[in-house]
Amino acid sequence: MLKKKNITIAVTALNAIDSPGPGIAVIRGLRESEFYNVKIIGLAYEILEPGIYMDDMVDKVYQIPFPSSGFDAMLERFRYIQEKENIDVVIPNFDAELMTFIKLKPYFNKMGIQLLIPTKEQFEERLKGSLNEFGEKHGIKVPKSETIYQIDELEEVLKEFEYPVVIKGKFYDAYIATSFEQAREFYFKVSAKWGTPIIIQEFINGNEFNVTALGDGKGTMMGAVPMRKTFLTDKGKAWAGISIDDPKLIEMANTIITKTNWGGGLELELMKEDKTGDLYLLEINPRFPAWIYLANGCGQNHPEMLVKLAMNEKVKPLIKYDIGKMFIRYSYDMVCDLDKYEKISIHGEV
Amino acid sequence: MLMKLKKNIAISESGFVFNPEIGTSFTTNSLGVAILKQLKSKTSSEEIIESIIKNYEIDATTCEKDLGDFLRILDQFNLIDS
């Protein structure tokens, strides 16, 4: 039997809440690796992220500063953590932290930490506000969209659209507005939470599909699994979904990864228009989705593959996956002793 | 008239129908399963009606109308090859 290699992997996004971060799903994949024996270092921003308290998922947890604290604060924290843990690979799983990790990558590499993440250019090219240009450049259909920074611009921009329109935040949140009044309300709602710019997007009438995929950073798609959400929370997040068989979705993921030389995990949000059957790209999320464990259940362990790629191991691209596999989330109350909460609160590590 | 069921539609004996292309699922009764299986093997509507009349107490006119309704539902649910 193959002896598993010991490896230490740090993972962010331990917020396994109703709108979950992908961290715990990524860790589940890593824990099921047939190649690695993993030690997991959880990286948490907030002291009540549930993953901190999940002993079967994380071996040690460190609190890290929010990306808004700046590059130096994050670098200093990682120097401290690295001295203690000797991390081999870091997997960042939040959109909002990714730019900081992109900047930190050369420093991490010097410390002996590997990452497989998109480059600054790749990250910026797929920003929601740049999607029109992205579509034109790569020959991909995208809904018409405009980016605005001030409420004064809204009325003028809306003249170019027909209702309903979609009002989106730069990182998260999207609302469908059927009137100017609603659009205005959603502008304030989203900008209060995520700041500006706000993206005004054409509404495509059809079915939404998602694809999780992995790129090696050299133009090869290492794996992809498409999914349709079958149950949504009131926040519009997937609470259940099913893997599906649509080669067009895989082809779209392959086009994006090969044309951009994408490195790392990504999630595509796509809309298939009812009228035409055409596929529109709504968003590229630059990291694994929270439902990434479905890919593992379908026979493609993307987190393990990402680690292998980051560690320069040989990895064969995977094409096959199980169709008709479902995921269903559930809520679960953990009962924890106060000492963990105390340790993470006082010492920033546990 | 020949209507074709989409090629990868999965039909179980229990009446569970799954469209793997878009992930939708439906339930039907034993007659529905029988019709779907015939549609899968590219049987014509006329042949399906004939087989139903043979096995059930129904006249040709009612059977034709009911089958038409059923086929329209299948089409609405995206199960028929256009």
Side-chain angles (χ1 to χ4, degrees):
Chain A
M1 209 177 99
L2 187 77
K3 193 171 178 260
K4 287 187 184 183
K5 285 188 180 181
N6 288 331
I7 193 164
T8 303
I9 304 165
V11 178
T12 69
L14 307 180
N15 55 327
I17 55 172
D18 61 336
S19 175
I24 294 301
V26 167
I27 294 169
R28 288 183 73 192
L30 297 172
R31 291 249 176 243
E32 289 179 18
S33 170
E34 289 177 1
F35 191 79
Y36 292 117
N37 183 29
V38 296
K39 178 182 179 188
I40 299 292
I41 307 301
L43 302 171
Y45 290 102
E46 307 211 50
I47 54 177
L48 276 175
E49 291 181 23
I52 299 171
Y53 306 90
M54 297 170 79
D55 294 335
D56 54 341
M57 290 288 119
V58 294
D59 296 294
K60 175 97 195 214
V61 179
Y62 290 88
Q63 195 175 11
I64 55 172
F66 282 102
S68 55
S69 313
F71 173 86
D72 292 335
M74 189 72 101
L75 182 59
E76 194 184 323
R77 185 62 175 152
F78 267 94
R79 284 199 168 121
Y80 170 80
I81 298 170
Q82 184 61 353
E83 252 179 45
K84 293 194 156 196
E85 303 297 344
N86 201 15
I87 294 164
D88 297 296
V89 178
V90 175
I91 308 178
N93 292 301
F94 279 127
D95 299 24
E97 71 187 359
L98 207 57
M99 195 46 110
T100 308
F101 279 81
I102 290 168
K103 285 182 193 163
L104 282 167
K105 191 177 176 183
Y107 297 87
F108 278 177
N109 290 159
K110 276 184 197 162
M111 286 188 246
I113 304 173
Q114 308 304 321
L115 297 102
L116 181 61
I117 53 175
T119 62
K120 182 172 178 280
E121 292 69 32
Q122 290 163 348
F123 179 82
E124 285 176 343
E125 191 186 28
R126 43 55 57 193
L127 282 171
K128 289 180 199 180
S130 313
L131 212 58
N132 284 348
E133 294 79 14
F134 185 89
E136 264 175 42
K137 187 177 167 187
H138 300 297
I140 292 165
K141 279 195 170 183
V142 300
K144 180 178 143 188
S145 59
E146 290 287 342
T147 302
I148 60 170
Y149 290 83
Q150 290 177 344
I151 186 68
D152 304 351
E153 300 171 74
L154 183 65
E155 195 168 4
E156 199 54 37
V157 163
L158 281 175
K159 286 177 186 164
E160 299 167 28
F161 291 84
E162 277 179 29
Y163 289 105
V165 291
V166 186
I167 312 292
K168 299 176 111 171
K170 62 178 171 181
F171 290 130
Y172 305 102
D173 275 353
Y175 296 95
I176 297 164
T178 53
S179 65
F180 174 71
E181 289 68 29
Q182 261 193 343
R184 194 180 146 82
E185 184 193 330
F186 293 144
Y187 175 95
F188 285 121
K189 194 170 180 176
V190 177
S191 62
K193 199 167 174 190
W194 302 110
T196 54
I198 298 295
I199 295 99
I200 315 297
Q201 197 172 71
E202 174 191 4
F203 176 78
I204 305 290
N205 197 7
N207 283 307
E208 190 187 328
F209 298 96
N210 298 65
V211 183
T212 186
L214 177 67
D216 71 348
K218 296 169 190 162
T220 303
M221 185 171 80
M222 303 307 295
V225 174
M227 178 275 285
R228 191 177 73 90
K229 297 172 186 175
T230 52
F231 190 90
L232 297 178
T233 66
D234 54 2
K235 287 182 180 170
K237 300 291 170 187
W239 195 256
I242 189 163
S243 63
I244 55 168
D245 177 22
D246 187 343
K248 276 188 184 171
L249 300 174
I250 302 283
E251 195 184 304
M252 175 71 92
N254 193 44
T255 301
I256 289 169
I257 286 174
T258 52
K259 287 194 174 179
T260 61
N261 287 333
W262 188 269
L266 61 74
E267 181 195 23
L268 303 181
E269 293 183 12
L270 302 155
M271 191 66 94
K272 195 179 248 184
E273 194 176 31
D274 279 344
K275 208 165 53 182
T276 60
D278 289 346
L279 214 52
Y280 284 81
L281 175 67
L282 301 183
E283 271 180 38
I284 302 176
N285 294 318
R287 36 93 194 143
F288 289 131
W291 55 273
I292 184 64
Y293 189 68
L294 176 69
N296 199 26
C298 292
Q300 296 193 6
N301 190 340
H302 292 185
E304 181 202 53
M305 291 169 85
L306 180 144
V307 171
K308 279 185 172 177
L309 289 166
M311 294 300 288
N312 268 323
E313 302 277 0
K314 275 189 185 166
V315 190
K316 266 192 182 170
L318 296 177
I319 297 163
K320 283 187 179 171
Y321 63 92
D322 293 345
I323 295 152
K325 284 270 182 196
M326 292 169 57
F327 77 86
I328 306 170
R329 294 200 172 124
Y330 66 101
S331 304
Y332 184 89
D333 295 354
M334 289 184 288
V335 177
C336 318
D337 290 327
L338 200 58
D339 67 326
K340 273 200 161 184
Y341 182 68
E342 179 194 334
K343 278 180 189 156
I344 192 85
S345 305
I346 302 292
H347 305 295
E349 59 187 90
V350 60
Chain B
M1 190 174 61
L2 189 68
M3 281 181 102
K4 262 177 26 191
L5 200 66
K6 281 188 175 171
K7 66 175 182 190
N8 46 5
I9 302 295
I11 311 153
S12 83
E13 287 302 325
S14 65
F16 185 78
V17 182
F18 175 59
N19 180 354
E21 195 184 311
I22 52 174
T24 47
S25 57
F26 312 92
T27 53
T28 184
N29 60 16
S30 55
L31 178 56
V33 172
I35 296 171
L36 287 170
K37 280 185 175 173
Q38 290 180 80
L39 287 172
K40 212 165 189 186
S41 58
K42 296 173 192 167
T43 315
S44 69
S45 299
E46 291 75 20
E47 287 169 302
I48 295 171
I49 291 167
E50 208 174 292
S51 78
I52 295 172
I53 292 170
K54 214 184 274 177
N55 294 300
Y56 295 86
E57 282 180 19
I58 188 168
D59 62 87
T61 315
T62 313
C63 184
E64 191 179 342
K65 183 187 162 294
D66 289 355
L67 180 67
D69 289 345
F70 186 64
L71 294 177
R72 266 188 294 280
I73 290 170
L74 295 182
D75 193 34
Q76 272 172 23
F77 288 163
N78 232 328
L79 297 170
I80 298 289
D81 232 351
S82 51

